Amino acid sequence: MFADFIQLMFSATLMTLGLAVSSLILGLILSIIFVVLETNKIGCIRQTTSVVVTLLRGLPEILVVLLIFFGSTQVLFILTDEYIEFGAFWCGTVALAIIFAAYASQSLRGAIQAIPLGQWESGAALGLSRPQTFIRIVMPQVWRHALPGLSNQWLVLLKDTALVSLIGVDDLMRQAELVNASTHQPFTWYGIAALLYLVITLVSQVGIRKLELYFTRFEREKG
């Protein structure tokens, strides 16, 4: 019986990792979009985006999760007059991605501003267009500057995955709660959940350190 519960905990760990990675990928895409809109030359677009990002950063994470889960169905019902229910996993992914993007966009924007204007001029001197200069010259340097902030947000994202247990996703936290309900051993199973979260965090920190070394080496070779 104990082995079966352990197997359930490891399956829930994979669910948590899938949720976190999916949210990270979508969140990075959204954060880039936020940066582009926040730095847009058109004032109304720039100001509206800044207000949205500020609101997202000011709301409790659990409220964003609940709004996406329950609100998306209600909004579609109002627009289409049809009841369409989204899966809890994808609602959780979108909610966590939006939360991540609201914070990560500020790290990316600061990193872009830290790049000297001479880098853009170098790209122009090489005959590269502005988008090509951004992708081939500026962006690799942006990741190095933004990595400390993004790595912190990734660790926060890992912990925030526990919030989706409230909307029915069988993540690590929810599984620990279900196993505890069957065994009445809260210290054991919540302790195992804490240990698994810690392992994921430690492995993430090793990966982050390797990324930092990679981008540092890349910049030296380009320099």
Side-chain angles (χ1 to χ4, degrees):
M1 184 65 71
F2 183 81
D4 293 336
F5 286 145
I6 289 294
Q7 182 61 42
L8 289 174
M9 292 294 286
F10 277 112
S11 298
T13 303
L14 294 178
M15 175 67 76
T16 296
L17 282 172
L19 179 67
V21 172
S22 300
S23 301
L24 175 67
I25 294 172
L26 180 58
L28 284 174
I29 295 172
L30 289 176
S31 63
I32 293 173
I33 293 174
F34 283 161
V35 170
V36 171
L37 294 177
E38 274 196 290
T39 56
N40 196 285
K41 294 181 179 180
I42 302 176
C44 61
I45 295 178
R46 183 175 64 252
Q47 293 170 4
T48 302
T49 305
S50 297
V51 170
V52 170
V53 171
T54 301
L55 287 175
L56 289 173
R57 295 174 67 191
L59 292 174
E61 286 84 351
I62 183 59
L63 184 57
V64 177
V65 173
L66 294 176
L67 284 174
I68 295 296
F69 182 63
F70 294 108
S72 58
T73 300
Q74 187 173 0
V75 169
L76 282 178
F77 180 78
I78 293 173
L79 294 176
T80 65
D81 203 26
E82 294 183 8
Y83 182 79
I84 302 175
E85 186 174 356
F86 293 97
F89 178 88
W90 292 111
C91 286
T93 297
V94 171
L96 293 178
I98 291 173
I99 295 168
F100 176 88
Y103 290 93
S105 62
Q106 305 308 302
S107 297
L108 286 176
R109 189 175 67 170
I112 291 173
Q113 292 173 346
I115 303 300
L117 292 176
Q119 299 295 316
W120 295 92
E121 296 170 356
S122 298
L126 293 172
L128 299 176
S129 65
R130 194 169 179 81
Q132 288 176 325
T133 301
F134 180 75
I135 294 172
R136 298 178 62 179
I137 298 177
V138 174
M139 205 59 189
Q141 300 178 63
V142 166
W143 290 123
R144 186 180 70 81
H145 287 288
L147 191 57
L150 293 178
S151 61
N152 287 333
Q153 290 308 314
W154 162 249
L155 297 179
V156 172
L157 175 62
L158 281 174
K159 292 182 289 184
D160 282 348
T161 55
L163 298 174
V164 301
S165 63
L166 297 177
I167 61 175
V169 178
D170 290 327
D171 70 319
L172 184 54
M173 198 64 192
R174 178 171 172 80
Q175 194 61 61
E177 182 180 353
L178 293 175
V179 173
N180 171 56
S182 300
T183 62
H184 303 290
Q185 297 176 331
F187 183 82
T188 298
W189 297 106
Y190 287 126
I192 290 174
L195 181 61
L196 291 171
Y197 275 116
L198 182 60
V199 170
I200 296 172
T201 299
L202 293 175
V203 172
S204 297
Q205 289 178 337
V206 172
I208 290 167
R209 179 57 182 164
K210 289 185 177 181
L211 279 176
E212 289 175 347
L213 293 174
Y214 169 79
F215 283 119
T216 300
R217 186 169 62 251
F218 178 86
E219 187 170 347
R220 288 176 179 173
E221 290 175 355
K222 288 294 182 181

